[in-house]
Amino acid sequence: MAPPSPEIPNLQGTHHKRVTVHNSHGEELVGVLHETNSLELVIICHGFKSSKDRIPMVNLADAFEKEGISAFRFDFAGNGESEGSFQYGNYRREADDLRAIVEHFHEEERFIATIVGHSKGVCVVLFGGWRYYYTGTACAVYLTDVSWTMLLFDLRGNVVLLYASSYKDVDAVVNISGRFNLERGIEGRLGRDFKEKIKHDGFIDVRNRKGRFEYCVTEKSLMDRLTTDIRGACQNIPNGCRVLTVHGSMDEMVPVEDAMEFAKNVPNHKLQIIEGADHEFTSHQDELSSAVLAFVKMDFRGNYMAMPSQSCKPSGHIHSRL
């Protein structure tokens, strides 16, 4: 299990609750629920070698909380406080982690309104997908109808898009700083001769500038990344699923050209470039939150399916504020 992040906020407030969920491999995933008692719940996924407590994740959760929308940010296995070992690539395993989180909240009778993802996280939702339902008094309302809004936000951008592509039951996706071309960016981490090294040794140890070991890249994990077809996944997203891509014009990790490629290949796509913003929107947190919230609210308004009877209404302690 990775050591606790020093960035974790004070959870003494009445609206924040630590939640643990076990994935399909028996590993404990740790998250923080920003509870507003809203009907909707937003799930926020962090990026590569990151955690739920990085600035974009915390600020987005706070922004939703201020709007009366509950939000849950969590650590993928091998990251932050969650159990497991960090693995390079690992898109499909992280989609499984996301599914475990979603199913947990389904059991809690929560509506998954949005999943937010940054950078790598966009891939998880492209691979994953789910059918979910709310069990009311004397009836069940299945939320597989497009009249219900399911938004996926992934601060690991790619994961959410893969999820949407595979399961086709997602109404909206928000891709923040996602990488379209997964072949780019590898040399910067592994070196120019990474293909020869990994073919010869079977692995590459990645070290920081001080020479300290950070993580190991195996041939299998490298191929997991190189064989992930982002273009095909994007083109396979149904037209009924709205996708928002938010990207900073000064992103030093993932070039803004990748955002343009998402716009070309996703059928129902909106692109928003935030001028001057870097990969984590360090000095542009307000602009990022405003763009995401506006997209979410537009999808919610007037988009709820009529309940078949009064007995199907949710109980009084859970309510929508949108």
Side-chain angles (χ1 to χ4, degrees), residues 170-237:
V170 177
D171 291 335
V173 171
V174 175
N175 159 25
I176 302 174
S177 304
R179 186 183 293 278
F180 186 87
N181 185 350
L182 296 185
E183 294 185 4
R184 284 197 300 209
I186 298 178
E187 287 188 1
R189 296 183 187 273
L190 307 186
R192 291 185 177 180
D193 57 346
F194 71 91
K195 290 183 179 179
E196 291 77 13
K197 282 184 178 179
I198 208 160
K199 186 175 182 179
H200 181 268
D201 299 327
F203 68 93
I204 295 175
D205 284 342
V206 178
R207 300 180 182 275
N208 61 22
R209 293 180 180 178
K210 295 182 179 180
R212 185 177 301 173
F213 175 81
E214 288 195 332
Y215 56 91
C216 177
V217 178
T218 64
E219 185 173 9
K220 179 181 179 181
S221 63
L222 177 62
M223 291 308 297
D224 181 77
R225 172 166 175 159
L226 293 176
T227 58
T228 298
D229 182 8
I230 294 296
R231 183 185 304 275
C234 288
Q235 294 174 348
N236 201 37
I237 296 174

Side-chain angles (χ1 to χ4, degrees), residues 50-285:
S50 186
S51 80
K52 65 184 180 305
D53 302 317
R54 293 290 294 177
I55 290 174
M57 277 56 74
V58 175
N59 284 352
L60 279 168
D62 286 344
F64 280 108
E65 183 180 352
K66 289 175 183 177
E67 292 293 319
I69 306 168
S70 296
F72 181 71
R73 50 188 172 85
F74 75 100
D75 294 323
F76 286 103
N79 293 268
E81 293 185 285
S82 292
E83 293 180 341
S85 59
F86 173 81
Q87 297 182 44
Y88 187 82
N90 212 33
Y91 297 106
R92 294 161 183 82
R93 277 283 297 266
E94 289 175 353
D96 289 343
D97 286 353
L98 179 55
R99 184 173 181 84
I101 296 295
V102 170
E103 289 181 338
H104 168 81
F105 285 107
H106 290 168
E107 293 173 1
E108 297 288 325
E109 298 183 349
R110 302 298 294 262
F111 292 150
I112 308 303
T114 306
I115 298 179
V116 181
H118 174 252
S119 190
K120 181 189 175 188
V122 172
C123 272
V124 168
V125 175
L126 277 176
F127 267 135
W130 55 81
R131 305 270 174 189
Y132 66 112
Y133 60 90
Y134 165 75
T135 303
T137 305
C139 74
V141 179
Y142 284 84
L143 307 184
T144 56
D145 190 289
V146 294
S147 298
W148 284 94
T149 300
M150 180 188 290
L151 291 173
L152 303 181
F153 294 89
D154 189 352
L155 289 155
R156 222 171 171 107
N158 306 96
V159 171
V160 291
L161 294 173
L162 292 167
Y163 205 111
S165 173
S166 296
Y167 288 82
K168 299 180 175 60
D169 55 359
V170 177
D171 291 335
V173 171
V174 175
N175 159 25
I176 302 174
S177 304
R179 186 183 293 278
F180 186 87
N181 185 350
L182 296 185
E183 294 185 4
R184 284 197 300 209
I186 298 178
E187 287 188 1
R189 296 183 187 273
L190 307 186
R192 291 185 177 180
D193 57 346
F194 71 91
K195 290 183 179 179
E196 291 77 13
K197 282 184 178 179
I198 208 160
K199 186 175 182 179
H200 181 268
D201 299 327
F203 68 93
I204 295 175
D205 284 342
V206 178
R207 300 180 182 275
N208 61 22
R209 293 180 180 178
K210 295 182 179 180
R212 185 177 301 173
F213 175 81
E214 288 195 332
Y215 56 91
C216 177
V217 178
T218 64
E219 185 173 9
K220 179 181 179 181
S221 63
L222 177 62
M223 291 308 297
D224 181 77
R225 172 166 175 159
L226 293 176
T227 58
T228 298
D229 182 8
I230 294 296
R231 183 185 304 275
C234 288
Q235 294 174 348
N236 201 37
I237 296 174
N239 190 60
C241 176
R242 298 189 310 119
V243 177
L244 168 67
T245 291
V246 185
H247 213 103
S249 66
M250 301 299 290
D251 190 329
E252 73 289 357
M253 298 293 294
V254 180
V256 71
E257 287 77 16
D258 280 42
M260 311 297 185
E261 290 300 317
F262 283 115
K264 292 177 184 176
N265 287 278
V266 176
N268 188 354
H269 186 274
K270 177 182 179 181
L271 174 62
Q272 184 157 348
I273 305 298
I274 297 183
E275 292 297 325
D278 60 16
H279 190 62
E280 289 197 327
F281 298 85
T282 306
S283 301
H284 298 77
Q285 292 294 304

